Amino acid sequence: MKKLILMGRVAAGKTTLTQALKGEQLHYCKTQYINYTDTIIDTPGEYTEVHTLAAALAVYSYEADVIGLVVSANEPFCVFPPNCTHHVNRDVIGIISGIDKPDANIALAERWLTNCGVKKDKLFYVSSYTREGLDTIIDYLNQDQ
């Protein structure tokens, strides 16, 4: 299985997605540091939002096979700049989390991720709570490299 690093702003759903992908019971847990496991690297949202912490994401991304940019379907803005994926020498996927939320704006989240440079065929739409879309990510990560 390919190793995935999850990046996104605070409350984008990275840790909940990590729990769901690992088949764990979902519970709120604020990520305080980089959680490095055998298949997933879960990062604190502050590392994406705070410029002085962002270097840690670059360092840990070299440990992963796939970079996962996570945007919640109800986020008010996107923290990722346009064309930011062109600097990465790994596969980059876009993960739209929280697609089951009543205020979800999936089209807007999709537009933000494609503006970042994520290809449409590398977009994944998930709900960690209903488990919708998790199998597509797991299948992608299990593909031969």
Side-chain angles (χ1 to χ4, degrees):
M1 179 180 251
K2 297 175 191 168
K3 183 173 284 215
L4 171 67
I5 185 170
L6 298 174
M7 301 178 187
R9 67 185 221 104
V10 172
K14 301 175 300 298
T15 301
T16 305
L17 177 60
T18 298
Q19 293 168 356
L21 288 170
K22 292 171 70 179
E24 297 174 353
Q25 183 176 2
L26 303 183
H27 63 281
Y28 177 76
C29 178
K30 172 67 183 112
T31 304
Q32 299 292 323
Y33 51 87
I34 293 178
N35 292 319
Y36 189 98
T37 66
D38 57 341
T39 56
I40 301 172
I41 303 170
D42 182 19
T43 65
E46 290 84 1
Y47 284 42
T48 302
E49 295 179 22
V50 179
H51 176 72
T52 55
L53 300 173
L57 295 177
V59 170
Y60 274 92
S61 69
Y62 286 104
E63 298 292 323
D65 302 305
V66 179
I67 310 296
L69 303 182
V70 182
V71 173
S72 179
N74 70 344
E75 287 190 16
F77 59 89
C78 182
V79 294
F80 301 113
N83 298 314
C84 64
T85 64
H86 298 290
H87 303 283
V88 180
N89 63 355
R90 303 279 189 274
D91 282 345
V92 179
I93 63 173
I95 302 170
I96 300 172
S97 62
I99 60 171
D100 58 325
K101 295 179 179 179
D103 58 343
N105 188 342
I106 296 168
L108 181 59
E110 183 179 281
R111 192 163 51 248
W112 285 335
L113 287 168
T114 56
N115 284 344
C116 291
V118 177
K119 295 181 171 86
K120 288 197 180 249
D121 66 334
K122 298 277 178 109
L123 290 174
F124 296 87
Y125 307 85
V126 300
S127 167
S128 296
Y129 290 95
T130 67
R131 301 198 52 83
E132 182 179 350
L134 294 180
D135 288 340
T136 59
I137 294 176
I138 292 168
D139 290 345
Y140 173 78
L141 294 173
N142 282 325
Q143 290 177 356
D144 291 334
Q145 296 185 19

